[in-house]
Amino acid sequence: MQEFGDFANIDIDKLLKGADEQLALLERFQRDVGSYVGHAQDENGMVTVEYDHQGVRELELHPKAMRLASGELADLIKTAIADASADFQKQFSTGMRELFGDDDDPMKYVNDPDAALSKLKEAESLHEQAFTDVMGQLNQIRRRMDL
């Protein structure tokens, strides 16, 4: 009888249950991401911004803001948008950590290109090893069948 290696020991029910759990988590995250809203306001309350997954959701200017120089107002708006975006990103990252856990959170690689590159090299190495193993197994089969 032929050996199937580790494939013969796979618990299909456990595998399917794990996949179902991951899909449920992804559905919950997809539903929850719509509720994440970043908020920011300048220190004088002249500019208020709400930011969500689609971008700037709300931009409110206090009537006194219209008395500011255009450059000063533009700077306040840009800063408030950046702060609201950062607040949204923080909420989004927290949601990702809740979904994937600290170790598997893909968002941690966004601001750490060296870690991302390291993870890619690790994946490449695993892929190359798997390819080598499969080719070795195919070679053995070919020899057994005298092909």
Side-chain angles (χ1 to χ4, degrees):
M1 185 169 171
Q2 285 186 337
E3 291 291 321
F4 291 101
D6 290 338
F7 292 112
N9 299 321
I10 292 176
D11 183 349
I12 297 297
D13 291 332
K14 184 178 178 182
L15 182 68
L16 290 174
K17 183 180 178 192
D20 287 343
E21 289 171 357
Q22 289 297 316
L23 282 173
L25 286 173
L26 286 171
E27 286 174 4
R28 187 189 90 209
F29 180 73
Q30 189 174 22
R31 182 189 66 239
D32 290 351
V33 77
S35 68
Y36 301 152
V37 178
H39 298 274
Q41 185 176 57
D42 74 291
E43 61 188 29
N44 296 319
M46 297 286 184
V47 177
T48 304
V49 174
E50 287 185 2
Y51 192 98
D52 67 10
H53 66 284
Q54 295 178 327
V56 175
R57 184 169 113 165
E58 235 8 89
L59 171 63
E60 292 181 19
L61 301 176
H62 190 280
K64 290 181 182 178
M66 303 315 289
R67 297 181 190 147
L68 298 172
S70 63
E72 187 178 1
L73 179 57
D75 288 343
L76 286 177
I77 292 171
K78 288 188 278 186
T79 300
I81 289 173
D83 291 347
S85 174
D87 185 39
F88 170 78
Q89 289 298 326
K90 181 179 176 185
Q91 294 175 41
F92 185 85
S93 293
T94 299
M96 292 293 283
R97 276 194 304 283
E98 288 173 5
L99 177 64
F100 292 103
D102 286 332
D103 293 336
D104 296 329
D105 178 11
M107 294 305 290
K108 69 183 175 187
Y109 299 112
V110 170
N111 296 322
D112 190 355
D114 291 334
L117 186 58
S118 173
K119 199 68 167 172
L120 284 173
K121 287 181 180 180
E122 180 183 327
E124 179 183 31
S125 174
L126 290 172
H127 178 268
E128 287 177 9
Q129 182 62 46
F131 180 78
T132 301
D133 291 348
V134 166
M135 293 308 291
Q137 292 293 323
L138 288 174
N139 233 357
Q140 286 180 358
I141 291 169
R142 183 183 55 79
R143 283 195 299 265
R144 285 184 194 154
M145 297 179 74
D146 291 325
L147 295 176

